[in-house]
Amino acid sequence: TADEEAKDEL
Amino acid sequence: MNVFRLAGDMTHLSSILVLLLKIHTIKSCAGISLKTQELYALVFITRYLDIFDRFTSIYNFLMKLIFLGSSLSIVWYMRRHKAVHRSYDKDQDTFRYQFIVLPCLLLALVINHKLTFKEVMWTFSLYLEAVAILPQLVLLQRTRNIDNLTGQYVFLLGAYRALYLLNWVYRYFTEPGFVRWITWIAGLVQTLLYADFFYYYILSWKNNVKLELPA
């Protein structure tokens, strides 16, 4: 969701 | 995924392999801080709480498993393996967990994107990773003879962080709207902590002398 930070990195 | 990110991940992986090599084949963890290793294990556990319910890619999933498994096995070796444990510089490894863990936890509770358990734990893992190297740097400074593998291990960890910074710069200019303040500031702090070590590591490499940090 937009209010969480995106998590595509390790 | 860009080349900086991939190089960063591979450098991170190499650092862990170097450490496992030292522990597994030489059966020694001399000069390695158990505190830092336990903090890293905690970093991965709290960061990858979503490992089974948020799927981004096979690559990410496998790397998460590797980071979790390797960090836990390093802690196990240093605590439970007799020969390895004997080589541990316990008396020198005196940094206190609470000075690191508590401030990071408080900061994660205050500065985060969403006040949920998983999001706070994930944010905590970023803050914790930024400073988890401190016990290791303190131990290095106290160790008169830093062996090559230990020096390489810390150098690779620092290089991994520097490559992640380049990855963010690259993504900022190539992905519209790519802004991640929490990740960036924690990452920048983490990289800066290595500056001093880098300086002496490169100096010792250039002059071809044994690495030793000034007191």
Side-chain angles (χ1 to χ4, degrees):
Chain A
T1 54
D3 50 358
E4 284 185 20
E5 195 161 297
K7 294 170 179 61
D8 56 352
E9 291 179 348
L10 296 163
Chain B
M1 176 146 59
N2 61 66
V3 64
F4 302 112
R5 157 81 196 279
L6 184 64
D9 286 348
M10 291 306 116
T11 312
H12 193 184
L13 196 58
S14 314
S15 74
I16 292 169
L17 289 179
V18 165
L19 183 52
L20 276 174
L21 176 79
K22 180 180 156 88
I23 289 176
H24 192 82
T25 59
I26 307 171
K27 296 282 185 283
S28 162
C29 65
I32 300 296
S33 165
L34 177 60
K35 309 239 163 152
T36 284
Q37 296 308 317
E38 288 180 336
L39 291 173
Y40 281 142
L42 186 58
V43 163
F44 292 130
I45 290 168
T46 50
R47 184 168 308 167
Y48 301 149
L49 287 174
D50 64 357
I51 185 166
F52 293 114
D53 57 48
R54 190 203 306 269
F55 184 81
T56 43
S57 66
I58 286 279
Y59 172 84
N60 270 24
F61 178 73
L62 290 178
M63 291 294 274
K64 286 176 182 178
L65 281 184
I66 292 171
F67 287 149
L68 279 168
S70 57
S71 65
L72 289 171
S73 69
I74 288 166
V75 170
W76 181 88
Y77 260 113
M78 290 184 73
R79 281 180 165 273
R80 297 271 176 257
H81 189 285
K82 277 206 178 76
V84 175
H85 186 73
R86 254 199 306 275
S87 65
Y88 168 47
D89 305 314
K90 192 173 196 273
D91 300 335
Q92 307 266 42
D93 192 18
T94 54
F95 207 99
R96 291 178 190 222
Y97 296 104
Q98 57 264 40
F99 290 154
I100 289 182
V101 174
L102 289 179
C104 289
L105 195 57
L106 285 177
L107 196 61
L109 281 166
V110 177
I111 303 177
N112 56 60
H113 279 279
K114 197 180 178 188
L115 201 60
T116 60
F117 177 70
K118 271 188 187 171
E119 189 66 13
V120 169
M121 283 297 103
W122 181 84
T123 313
F124 165 72
S125 83
L126 286 185
Y127 299 151
L128 188 61
E129 188 189 354
V131 289
I133 194 66
L134 286 175
Q136 180 63 63
L137 292 177
V138 169
L139 182 56
L140 277 188
Q141 211 158 46
R142 289 179 177 168
T143 312
R144 285 290 99 195
N145 268 321
I146 303 170
D147 64 76
N148 285 335
L149 286 177
T150 304
Q152 277 159 17
Y153 167 68
V154 178
F155 177 77
L156 286 167
L157 268 183
Y160 139 64
R161 293 317 306 182
L163 286 161
Y164 254 71
L165 286 188
L166 294 177
N167 153 57
W168 294 326
V169 172
Y170 180 86
R171 292 189 71 177
Y172 177 76
F173 286 109
T174 54
E175 292 177 33
F178 180 78
V179 175
R180 292 181 184 175
W181 285 111
I182 291 179
T183 308
W184 288 351
I185 291 170
L188 188 63
V189 168
Q190 188 175 357
T191 315
L192 289 176
L193 290 181
Y194 288 90
D196 193 56
F197 171 83
F198 271 141
Y199 175 77
Y200 291 104
Y201 184 87
I202 291 165
L203 211 65
S204 83
W205 176 75
K206 241 175 69 182
N207 300 333
N208 205 14
V209 293
K210 207 154 179 62
L211 176 62
E212 200 174 291
L213 303 183

